[in-house]
mmCIF file of all heavy atoms in Angstrom:
data_model
loop_
_atom_site.group_PDB
_atom_site.id
_atom_site.type_symbol
_atom_site.label_atom_id
_atom_site.label_comp_id
_atom_site.label_asym_id
_atom_site.label_seq_id
_atom_site.Cartn_x
_atom_site.Cartn_y
_atom_site.Cartn_z
ATOM 1 N N MET A 163 36.270 68.136 41.782
ATOM 2 C CA MET A 163 37.379 67.785 40.898
ATOM 3 C C MET A 163 38.549 67.332 41.721
ATOM 4 O O MET A 163 38.981 68.040 42.690
ATOM 5 C CB MET A 163 37.770 68.922 40.002
ATOM 6 C CG MET A 163 38.716 68.509 38.892
ATOM 7 S SD MET A 163 39.134 69.802 37.783
ATOM 8 C CE MET A 163 37.608 70.024 36.877
ATOM 9 N N HIS A 166 44.846 67.110 40.661
ATOM 10 C CA HIS A 166 45.476 66.790 39.356
ATOM 11 C C HIS A 166 46.472 67.915 38.988
ATOM 12 O O HIS A 166 46.414 68.989 39.601
ATOM 13 C CB HIS A 166 44.421 66.624 38.320
ATOM 14 C CG HIS A 166 43.700 67.951 37.999
ATOM 15 N ND1 HIS A 166 42.684 68.425 38.799
ATOM 16 C CD2 HIS A 166 43.928 68.897 37.067
ATOM 17 C CE1 HIS A 166 42.265 69.584 38.347
ATOM 18 N NE2 HIS A 166 43.075 69.913 37.273
ATOM 19 N N GLN A 167 47.272 67.654 37.998
ATOM 20 C CA GLN A 167 48.139 68.737 37.406
ATOM 21 C C GLN A 167 47.589 69.054 36.030
ATOM 22 O O GLN A 167 47.089 68.131 35.375
ATOM 23 C CB GLN A 167 49.547 68.196 37.268
ATOM 24 C CG GLN A 167 50.317 67.957 38.555
ATOM 25 C CD GLN A 167 51.574 67.163 38.316
ATOM 26 O OE1 GLN A 167 51.506 66.043 37.875
ATOM 27 N NE2 GLN A 167 52.707 67.785 38.563
ATOM 28 N N ASP A 168 47.784 70.298 35.582
ATOM 29 C CA ASP A 168 47.503 70.637 34.236
ATOM 30 C C ASP A 168 48.815 70.474 33.526
ATOM 31 O O ASP A 168 49.639 71.378 33.584
ATOM 32 C CB ASP A 168 46.983 72.123 34.139
ATOM 33 C CG ASP A 168 45.655 72.372 34.747
ATOM 34 O OD1 ASP A 168 44.986 71.342 35.156
ATOM 35 O OD2 ASP A 168 45.221 73.460 34.875
ATOM 36 N N VAL A 177 48.499 79.366 33.976
ATOM 37 C CA VAL A 177 47.081 79.015 33.771
ATOM 38 C C VAL A 177 46.274 80.118 34.461
ATOM 39 O O VAL A 177 46.551 80.503 35.629
ATOM 40 C CB VAL A 177 46.733 77.681 34.342
ATOM 41 C CG1 VAL A 177 45.234 77.404 34.291
ATOM 42 C CG2 VAL A 177 47.500 76.543 33.654
ATOM 43 N N PHE A 213 48.073 80.552 38.235
ATOM 44 C CA PHE A 213 49.224 79.823 38.706
ATOM 45 C C PHE A 213 50.243 79.653 37.567
ATOM 46 O O PHE A 213 49.935 79.061 36.520
ATOM 47 C CB PHE A 213 48.874 78.517 39.421
ATOM 48 C CG PHE A 213 47.967 77.568 38.696
ATOM 49 C CD1 PHE A 213 48.392 76.438 38.064
ATOM 50 C CD2 PHE A 213 46.576 77.791 38.695
ATOM 51 C CE1 PHE A 213 47.547 75.492 37.380
ATOM 52 C CE2 PHE A 213 45.723 76.899 38.026
ATOM 53 C CZ PHE A 213 46.203 75.745 37.393
ATOM 54 N N HIS A 222 46.173 70.530 42.019
ATOM 55 C CA HIS A 222 45.067 71.325 42.504
ATOM 56 C C HIS A 222 43.761 70.632 42.265
ATOM 57 O O HIS A 222 43.715 69.670 41.443
ATOM 58 C CB HIS A 222 45.113 72.748 41.817
ATOM 59 C CG HIS A 222 45.014 72.666 40.333
ATOM 60 N ND1 HIS A 222 46.110 72.409 39.549
ATOM 61 C CD2 HIS A 222 43.972 72.702 39.502
ATOM 62 C CE1 HIS A 222 45.763 72.307 38.248
ATOM 63 N NE2 HIS A 222 44.448 72.521 38.212
ATOM 64 N N THR A 246 39.154 78.084 32.629
ATOM 65 C CA THR A 246 40.630 78.211 32.686
ATOM 66 C C THR A 246 41.127 78.425 31.250
ATOM 67 O O THR A 246 40.648 77.809 30.266
ATOM 68 C CB THR A 246 41.317 76.895 33.268
ATOM 69 O OG1 THR A 246 40.817 75.754 32.618
ATOM 70 C CG2 THR A 246 41.181 76.764 34.727
ATOM 71 N N ARG A 248 44.526 78.476 28.898
ATOM 72 C CA ARG A 248 45.854 77.876 28.811
ATOM 73 C C ARG A 248 46.531 78.165 27.451
ATOM 74 O O ARG A 248 45.862 78.363 26.472
ATOM 75 C CB ARG A 248 45.671 76.344 28.834
ATOM 76 C CG ARG A 248 45.083 75.752 30.188
ATOM 77 C CD ARG A 248 43.810 75.086 29.924
ATOM 78 N NE ARG A 248 43.124 74.700 31.167
ATOM 79 C CZ ARG A 248 43.245 73.497 31.724
ATOM 80 N NH1 ARG A 248 44.019 72.581 31.164
ATOM 81 N NH2 ARG A 248 42.651 73.236 32.854
HETATM 82 MN MN1 MN B 331 43.348 71.887 36.451
#
Side-chain angles (χ1 to χ4, degrees):
M163 190 176 290
H166 66 278
Q167 292 168 295
D168 293 352
V177 174
F213 51 102
H222 57 278
T246 49
R248 296 116 186 267

